[in-house]
Amino acid sequence: MSGNQDLLQRSLRSVWHPCTQMKHHEQFPLVPIARGEGAWLYDTEGKAYLDAVSSWWVNLFGHNQPDIKNAIKAQLDQLEHVMLAGFTHLPVVALSEKLAALTGLGHAFYGSDGASATEIALKMSFHYWRNLGQANKTKFISLQNSYHGETLGALSVTDVAVFKDTYAPLILQSSQMPSPDSRLAEAGESEEAFAIRCAAALETYVAAHHETLAALIIEPMVQGAAGMAMYHPIYLQRAREICHRYQVHVIADEIAVGFGRTGTMFACEQAAGQVSEIADFICLSKGITGGYLPLSVVLTTDAVYQAFYHDHTVKGFLHSHSYTGNPLACSAALATLQLFENSDVLGANQQVAQQLMAAVQGYDLPMQHLRQRGMILAFDVITTKPHFARACYAAALKQGLLLRPIGNTVYWMPPYCLDAQAIEHLVHATRAAVAESL
Ligand SMILES: *Cc1c(COP(=O)(O)O)cnc(C)c1O
């Protein structure tokens, strides 16, 4: 047995891998990764894989990025961790100040992963209304096909059947509004007209139920786990107006789309000058540390913060996680923001995005709904092949490409550091993998 085979067997015996039916690994071998460099991952035998999904949407500037790595190392020599209840430290303060300036939301509450940020935002919204004497505002609404994480609270506002249905008896009731996903527009209906029609449906629901509604939670611009469903920004504007009028919070879940992913620093900026004009809460995670360490944060308004500021302990937000505001993770996040300050990242991405789109437009594949927002590109493959996604994933690995289609949707969400060679490989290996899997 080679060293590699031994490692794979040990992993299958001891590690329960996420989002996986483990029995499928009888057919699909695990990929043992030894190191990463830029947009590439290398397995234990030296084979290279282009990381077209940014390691589950977390990586922004590539693997082994020197500035982020050095920031973590420098912080490691000072302080690895201290509890954030009763204590503070420079990395968490500096990060909170920067995020406040970027979003217009001045109070930062930290968690460790995306789902915990969703939980924090839901609890905070509910508790805000309760502190204001509106304890009947207990319900949440989200979009059809939404994804906000998989802990029980987050799952209750998630609308992806494979993740949710099994656990239905355990979770809170919430209602799902029609998704403005442009693919669902009627023939001849523009993306914008369809978004306006969906907003009208939202208005009807909110007008009837606002007395019991705490918040709308929404993935701005792109519903990632729905299969990179993209929509017109007017939906966000309308949703904001409606929720404001009826006193319902807007929670922007930018866990996947924050930090430049859709072409603007935050996706909400495509609907308004600043995040705070659209949302009462923004949830951030994934790219926040450049993909280096787990960290999440919920940013909110003075109005929300003030509603908890009180002599009574229980009017405060008593939520906590052990690693809240971890200094190493905050230092990685500060280094990541510094990279945006050092150069015109969004401008450079725009050039790359145009090249990617031009290349896919030349594909001779059965596909529809080719779409793009910044550094997310997606298309739907027309095929009746069962388990297309799995077949395409395996075919891509053979080509030295990490691709994880969602249903029949093939998407790219690569790190921002693609060079000409990486783009060439991405374009050719994807075409070959899809063609082989039809
Ligand atoms: C990934 C994701 C989450 C959950 O984050 P985890 O870190 O996986 O818990 C929530 N919302 C969106 C939009 C996501 O993409």
Side-chain angles (χ1 to χ4, degrees), residues 57 113-116 118 147-150 219 253-256 285-286:
W57 318 350
D113 49 36
S116 64
T118 299
Y147 182 91
H148 299 290
E150 295 175 52
E219 294 160 88
D253 176 353
E254 296 220 16
I255 289 165
S285 187
K286 290 200 166 109

Side-chain angles (χ1 to χ4, degrees), residues 274-305:
Q274 227 183 4
V275 174
S276 57
E277 291 166 37
I278 296 291
D280 302 284
F281 303 87
I282 186 170
C283 301
L284 300 170
S285 187
K286 290 200 166 109
I288 192 171
T289 62
Y292 273 68
L293 288 165
L295 181 73
S296 67
V297 62
V298 176
L299 303 166
T300 190
T301 60
D302 288 336
V304 169
Y305 180 75

Side-chain angles (χ1 to χ4, degrees), residues 109-124 148-154 255 283-285 294-298 317 319-324:
F109 195 101
Y110 289 86
S112 311
D113 49 36
S116 64
T118 299
E119 301 287 342
I120 289 162
L122 297 177
K123 283 178 70 178
M124 243 184 212
H148 299 290
E150 295 175 52
T151 51
L152 292 174
I255 289 165
C283 301
L284 300 170
S285 187
L295 181 73
S296 67
V297 62
V298 176
F317 193 60
H319 187 98
S320 67
H321 296 284
S322 311
Y323 281 98
T324 288

Side-chain angles (χ1 to χ4, degrees), residues 218-270:
I218 186 166
E219 294 160 88
M221 299 304 296
V222 181
Q223 293 183 277
M228 300 300 157
M230 301 181 185
Y231 60 86
H232 195 281
I234 195 154
Y235 186 84
L236 292 173
Q237 294 166 357
R238 293 285 167 102
R240 175 57 179 179
E241 285 162 22
I242 295 160
C243 289
H244 193 68
R245 190 155 8 107
Y246 289 101
Q247 295 221 318
V248 174
H249 285 141
V250 174
I251 302 170
D253 176 353
E254 296 220 16
I255 289 165
V257 294
F259 303 100
R261 189 46 83 175
T262 67
T264 46
M265 191 61 172
F266 299 105
C268 283
E269 293 166 17
Q270 294 180 41

Side-chain angles (χ1 to χ4, degrees), residues 180-183 185-186 188-200 230-238 373:
D181 176 352
S182 301
R183 293 173 298 179
E186 276 173 10
E189 187 179 32
S190 74
E191 196 174 45
E192 182 171 9
F194 180 58
I196 289 171
R197 189 152 64 85
C198 292
M230 301 181 185
Y231 60 86
H232 195 281
I234 195 154
Y235 186 84
L236 292 173
Q237 294 166 357
R238 293 285 167 102
R373 293 283 185 277

Side-chain angles (χ1 to χ4, degrees), residues 10-346:
R10 282 167 54 200
S11 190
L12 291 175
R13 270 199 304 272
S14 60
V15 182
W16 198 336
H17 292 268
C19 201
T20 299
Q21 169 48 265
M22 292 298 292
K23 194 165 197 290
H24 288 164
H25 279 306
E26 291 176 6
Q27 271 115 54
F28 295 92
L30 286 163
V31 185
I33 295 299
R35 66 185 187 89
E37 186 67 48
W40 299 85
L41 293 164
Y42 296 88
D43 73 13
T44 45
E45 287 171 347
K47 179 172 176 177
Y49 303 85
L50 184 68
D51 187 357
V53 300
S54 296
S55 291
W56 253 356
W57 318 350
V58 300
N59 194 289
L60 295 187
F61 294 101
H63 300 277
N64 199 25
Q65 205 290 332
D67 299 345
I68 302 175
K69 185 169 72 173
N70 290 332
I72 297 169
K73 283 182 175 172
Q75 183 58 40
L76 198 51
D77 284 333
Q78 295 296 320
L79 173 67
E80 81 297 336
H81 186 65
V82 63
M83 63 193 284
L84 201 62
F87 293 81
T88 193
H89 50 81
L90 183 56
V92 80
V93 173
L95 179 60
S96 305
E97 288 173 350
K98 281 201 177 200
L99 293 173
L102 285 169
T103 61
L105 297 170
H107 302 277
F109 195 101
Y110 289 86
S112 311
D113 49 36
S116 64
T118 299
E119 301 287 342
I120 289 162
L122 297 177
K123 283 178 70 178
M124 243 184 212
S125 171
F126 160 82
H127 196 165
Y128 168 89
W129 296 116
R130 191 183 164 85
N131 279 353
L132 259 57
Q134 293 188 252
N136 49 331
K137 285 169 91 66
T138 60
K139 300 253 189 287
F140 298 99
I141 51 176
S142 62
L143 295 184
Q144 280 166 0
N145 303 319
S146 58
Y147 182 91
H148 299 290
E150 295 175 52
T151 51
L152 292 174
L155 198 55
S156 73
V157 288
T158 286
D159 185 41
V160 179
V162 284
F163 301 140
K164 184 172 192 177
D165 286 1
T166 307
Y167 307 101
L170 302 183
I171 60 187
L172 298 168
Q173 290 280 315
S174 72
S175 294
Q176 276 63 54
M177 304 294 114
S179 166
D181 176 352
S182 301
R183 293 173 298 179
L184 305 174
E186 276 173 10
E189 187 179 32
S190 74
E191 196 174 45
E192 182 171 9
F194 180 58
I196 289 171
R197 189 152 64 85
C198 292
L202 172 70
E203 176 157 19
T204 304
Y205 187 90
V206 172
H209 296 92
H210 62 96
E211 284 173 3
T212 59
L213 288 180
L216 162 71
I217 182 166
I218 186 166
E219 294 160 88
M221 299 304 296
V222 181
Q223 293 183 277
M228 300 300 157
M230 301 181 185
Y231 60 86
H232 195 281
I234 195 154
Y235 186 84
L236 292 173
Q237 294 166 357
R238 293 285 167 102
R240 175 57 179 179
E241 285 162 22
I242 295 160
C243 289
H244 193 68
R245 190 155 8 107
Y246 289 101
Q247 295 221 318
V248 174
H249 285 141
V250 174
I251 302 170
D253 176 353
E254 296 220 16
I255 289 165
V257 294
F259 303 100
R261 189 46 83 175
T262 67
T264 46
M265 191 61 172
F266 299 105
C268 283
E269 293 166 17
Q270 294 180 41
Q274 227 183 4
V275 174
S276 57
E277 291 166 37
I278 296 291
D280 302 284
F281 303 87
I282 186 170
C283 301
L284 300 170
S285 187
K286 290 200 166 109
I288 192 171
T289 62
Y292 273 68
L293 288 165
L295 181 73
S296 67
V297 62
V298 176
L299 303 166
T300 190
T301 60
D302 288 336
V304 169
Y305 180 75
Q306 289 304 334
F308 290 79
Y309 200 83
H310 205 276
D311 290 328
H312 287 309
T313 304
V314 295
K315 286 213 164 180
F317 193 60
L318 304 185
H319 187 98
S320 67
H321 296 284
S322 311
Y323 281 98
T324 288
N326 174 259
L328 296 171
C330 290
S331 67
L334 284 166
T336 299
L337 290 177
Q338 189 65 49
L339 289 169
F340 283 98
E341 290 165 25
N342 291 352
S343 72
D344 179 15
V345 173
L346 302 178

